[in-house]
Amino acid sequence: MKLKLHVWRQNGQNDKGKLETYDAPNVSPDQSFLEMLDDVNLDLARTGRDIIAFDHDCREGICGMCSQVINGVPHGGQDRTTVCQLHMRKFKDGDEIFIEPWKARAFPVIKDLVVDRNGLEKIMQAGGYTSCHTGGVPDGNALPIGNPVAEYSMDAAECIGCGACVASCPNSSAMLYTGAKVAQLAVLPQGKVEAQQRVLAMTEAAKENGFGNCSNHYECQASCPKGINVKFIAKLNREYMKALL
Amino acid sequence: MQLTQSSVGRKIIMAVTGLVLISFVCVHLLGNSSMFFGADAINAYAQKLHSLGPFVWVFRLVMLAAFAIHLVFGIQLTLENRAATPETNVQVKRLKTGFGAETMIVSGGVLFFFVVYHILHFTARVTNPEIYVPLGDAGMVDVYFMVVNGFRSALPVIVYVAGMIFLFLHVSHGFQSLFQTLGLSNDKSLPVMGTFGKLVGFVLLLGYIAIPLSIVFGYIKL
């Protein structure tokens, strides 16, 4: 099929950036979105033009490197799907597709569709770990953690840290990301020890690194490729109140 | 410090003051509904409130504080959120949020001016001094007469109906939002609270506009 792509081109933070239009004349419905972009880039390289820079790594939906806003929605709007797992059969012949980077003050554009997501790492560094000595790997059956708690923690731990929650949020808030990281540890015995200082430090780091405040739009959950639930933001709020009291 | 400066702390303040304000709005509607039971009912209600003496002023100060704090932090958080999003994508498609949620600062701002007008109209006796007639010797006014005559002209009726539409928009997002912020929601209760919040907003809208519209259409008359 034939597609028309409107791609955001921006050469670093000091460049204003603009949309440029490219034709993708020979797209297979079996290609992934990134493979389609690879073909466009091949054509650009062959004709001596600057290729479109975009982040990618595992291409199987688990690494969290994909970071494209497709037709106004991070990851393209297919339920629980990263850009690499989005396939061209979801589009029709003749479609025009807008491809833009994550846009937030906390995510400065490095080039084209590549943004600097170190802000998320800074939030993790502020408290997304346990520093108590837990010894070697324990026997799974010896862990005194019930299944519902383990499942709850794993649901939160599904977050791949792509930043779609920030990109979709009208306030550029990282509260779903922070909530997931706080919640996954807060319910486990190893994480409970530092739960109070963790929630205070991580929410403060989110603010310091330029992310906005959550005002409960829930766009984050809707665009999250892992379907992280906003109940983890409520959990963060509960943890925060416990830490203040 | 943490409470008044951090992201989540200020959200909690917004939720608590919002809870105070919406509780007042609900109780205020219940009290105002006495208009439907005649002059004696609403005047007896007003007299009961006045008999509380200094507690009326304590109550007013608490409400004023909640209103002012909600307003100041609401503006501050909105400005920060706008600064966090200096530019948006050319194409923006929202999947979940709604008109009410996206316009909280606008509906909040309109409600501020509405409350100022409402106080000048029915409390401070500034906009329509002619609607106040004394009742008895205790310095009371005839509230029934005041309300019916207060909605004789078109302007106040339009202002009140418009104001209540903005109240509906504000509450339709704010109600469920306060439960989420206070950590009282989970994946099962959140959609229920979302629907319930819209219902609360709608009941408040219908309840409040029923009074001026009943006066306009002659259901409530002197």
Side-chain angles (χ1 to χ4, degrees), chain A residues 72 98 100-101 103 105 168 170-172 207 213-219 229-230 234 237-238 240-241 244, chain B residues 2 5-7 11 80-81 84-85 89-91 93-97 101 173 176-177 180-183:
Chain A
F98 285 80
E100 300 178 74
K103 279 210 176 145
R105 177 180 58 184
S168 62
N171 309 332
S172 299
K207 191 181 167 207
N213 309 296
C214 172
S215 58
N216 305 326
H217 287 285
Y218 312 133
E219 283 293 316
N229 197 288
V230 291
N237 295 336
R238 280 198 296 279
Y240 195 90
M241 282 185 275
L244 281 189
Chain B
Q2 290 276 11
Q5 290 185 358
S6 75
S7 178
K11 254 181 73 153
E80 282 181 20
N81 291 342
T85 317
N89 289 118
V90 176
Q91 292 273 317
K93 190 176 154 201
R94 302 281 183 224
L95 301 174
K96 186 84 175 85
T97 190
H173 174 70
Q176 59 80 25
S177 190
Q180 168 79 354
T181 298
L182 295 177

Side-chain angles (χ1 to χ4, degrees), chain A residues 8 10 16 19 69 71-74 77 98 100-106 167-173 175 200 203-204 207 210-219 221-223 229-238 240-241 244, chain B residues 1-12 76-98 100-104 173-174 176-188 190:
Chain A
W8 186 262
Q10 183 176 349
K16 246 186 91 198
L19 283 174
V69 175
N71 291 336
V73 185
F98 285 80
E100 300 178 74
W102 286 179
K103 279 210 176 145
R105 177 180 58 184
S168 62
C169 177
N171 309 332
S172 299
S173 172
M175 214 48 87
L200 296 176
T203 48
E204 195 54 32
K207 191 181 167 207
F211 296 99
N213 309 296
C214 172
S215 58
N216 305 326
H217 287 285
Y218 312 133
E219 283 293 316
Q221 181 184 328
S223 70
N229 197 288
V230 291
K231 72 180 176 191
F232 296 119
I233 302 181
K235 172 72 176 164
L236 178 143
N237 295 336
R238 280 198 296 279
Y240 195 90
M241 282 185 275
L244 281 189
Chain B
M1 281 290 276
Q2 290 276 11
L3 195 63
T4 55
Q5 290 185 358
S6 75
S7 178
V8 183
R10 286 177 295 167
K11 254 181 73 153
I12 293 168
Q76 193 188 55
L77 289 166
T78 305
L79 289 176
E80 282 181 20
N81 291 342
R82 298 224 166 137
T85 317
E87 51 180 321
T88 53
N89 289 118
V90 176
Q91 292 273 317
V92 176
K93 190 176 154 201
R94 302 281 183 224
L95 301 174
K96 186 84 175 85
T97 190
E102 289 197 276
T103 53
M104 286 301 270
H173 174 70
Q176 59 80 25
S177 190
L178 83 87
F179 285 90
Q180 168 79 354
T181 298
L182 295 177
L184 299 172
S185 57
N186 58 37
D187 46 347
K188 289 194 183 64
L190 192 64

Side-chain angles (χ1 to χ4, degrees), chain A residues 49-204:
Chain A
R49 287 180 287 170
D50 189 23
I51 62 166
I52 301 159
F54 62 89
D55 260 331
H56 62 105
D57 193 4
C58 74
R59 300 207 175 197
E60 52 187 20
I62 56 169
C63 76
M65 281 305 281
C66 291
S67 54
Q68 296 172 26
V69 175
I70 298 164
N71 291 336
V73 185
H75 294 298
Q78 186 179 310
D79 192 35
R80 300 189 186 207
T81 307
T82 53
V83 178
C84 60
Q85 293 296 300
L86 181 66
H87 284 78
M88 298 316 294
R89 54 181 168 267
K90 293 289 167 190
F91 297 90
K92 293 192 307 287
D93 187 40
D95 271 0
E96 289 194 33
I97 307 175
F98 285 80
I99 311 170
E100 300 178 74
W102 286 179
K103 279 210 176 145
R105 177 180 58 184
F107 290 159
V109 172
I110 297 169
K111 190 174 190 317
D112 304 336
L113 307 172
V114 180
V115 298
D116 180 353
R117 284 175 278 181
N118 270 313
L120 296 180
E121 308 305 330
K122 296 270 168 55
I123 296 173
M124 277 306 264
Q125 284 167 11
Y129 51 80
T130 60
S131 46
C132 54
H133 297 288
T134 55
V137 180
D139 175 26
N141 292 326
L143 286 175
I145 299 167
N147 179 262
V149 174
E151 288 294 332
Y152 181 92
S153 179
M154 287 305 291
D155 285 349
E158 247 194 295
C159 168
I160 54 174
C162 64
C165 44
V166 179
S168 62
C169 177
N171 309 332
S172 299
S173 172
M175 214 48 87
L176 186 64
Y177 172 85
T178 315
K181 304 302 177 194
V182 163
Q184 73 182 29
L185 293 172
V187 293
L188 299 179
Q190 298 94 326
K192 274 184 182 159
V193 183
E194 294 162 296
Q196 300 200 351
Q197 66 197 69
R198 176 181 306 115
V199 67
L200 296 176
M202 289 182 83
T203 48
E204 195 54 32

